[in-house]
Amino acid sequence: MGFFKYGARGSGCKAAIVGVFVTAVPVSAAEVSILALGDSLTQGYGLLEQDGFVPQLRNWLADHGHDVRVVNGGVSGDTTAGGFARVEWSLTPDIDAMIVTLGGNDVLRGIAPQEARSNIEGILKVAQAQNLEVLLIGMEAPGNFGADYKQAFDGLYPELAQTYGTVFLDSFFKGLDRQGQSLAELSAFMQDDGIHPNPEGVVKIVETVGPKVEELLYRLD
């Protein structure tokens, strides 16, 4: 899933459930644990483990002075419904906060925006019940489903973020902003499927997500 080729490449997302990855860093009393709940973008589809989103984010945070354990709760092919179905058992007692990055596969399948909204709201309600801070990362629908679909889908993220008081980033791909760049230049940061970022693309994505995670961490102080 991504902003390049929604729809046509949807079958490239494998529905295999991946094991939860925990960064190999000793847990200390001061360490914060964050669950990254998502799909293949979070899981690191098509990448060596160290090149994936979660390891790169953990390293970025460490480089910026934060002792953070990031749990990879990404399941390749997952939808917002899948995330909602597993969020409660994924939030083990040691988790202090959560990153939610879901919705790309809903778009690939043409799932109604109101259904995606209901599922993400369910996830946020679970976090709220457990007094957990959340970083909600949005997804953008393409135009091929029509303007109304795109407006409803894109709009659900900022609306829910405001309602539930989460930290918010409007797009997972914000770091690959198209402004002033050609399609060829952007393609240099994507895998051949045009859906998932390559290692260099993940670097740029993490550079944008990282400060938002810092904002999340400041709320825990």
Side-chain angles (χ1 to χ4, degrees), residues 25-175:
V25 178
V27 179
S28 67
E31 189 179 55
V32 172
S33 292
I34 298 177
L35 172 68
L37 186 75
D39 48 36
S40 57
L41 296 173
T42 298
Q43 178 260 324
Y45 176 84
L47 301 173
L48 295 175
E49 185 177 276
Q50 67 268 20
D51 293 329
F53 171 72
V54 167
Q56 289 210 44
L57 176 60
R58 195 273 157 199
N59 290 337
W60 187 97
L61 291 168
D63 289 344
H64 287 76
H66 304 289
D67 185 15
V68 179
R69 169 178 170 258
V70 184
V71 178
N72 192 336
V75 173
S76 189
D78 213 2
T79 60
T80 57
F84 182 30
R86 62 189 172 86
V87 63
E88 287 201 73
W89 58 259
S90 298
L91 288 171
T92 53
D94 58 317
I95 297 299
D96 301 298
M98 179 167 58
I99 302 168
V100 179
T101 310
L102 287 163
N105 286 309
D106 293 60
V107 170
L108 288 172
R109 301 179 187 189
I111 292 172
Q114 58 267 31
E115 183 175 341
R117 172 190 288 270
S118 178
N119 292 327
I120 293 177
E121 184 166 27
I123 291 169
L124 297 180
K125 285 181 176 179
V126 170
Q128 185 180 65
Q130 297 191 27
N131 296 314
L132 293 176
E133 295 288 350
V134 175
L135 164 58
L136 179 62
I137 300 179
M139 287 287 164
E140 299 174 68
N144 56 300
F145 287 109
D148 290 343
Y149 183 101
K150 179 172 176 58
Q151 181 178 8
F153 191 89
D154 293 1
L156 72 89
Y157 293 95
E159 290 167 6
L160 288 175
Q162 182 174 19
T163 298
Y164 288 88
T166 74
V167 179
F168 179 61
L169 178 63
D170 57 351
S171 173
F172 182 82
F173 293 99
K174 187 76 170 181

Side-chain angles (χ1 to χ4, degrees), residues 3-5 176-178 181-201 204:
F3 56 41
F4 273 64
K5 300 177 182 175
L176 302 182
D177 197 317
R178 297 177 180 179
Q181 298 183 74
S182 68
L183 183 60
E185 288 173 321
L186 289 170
S187 296
F189 298 106
M190 303 296 289
Q191 296 181 42
D192 290 342
D193 62 6
I195 295 172
H196 299 91
N198 61 24
E200 293 76 20
K204 294 179 71 67

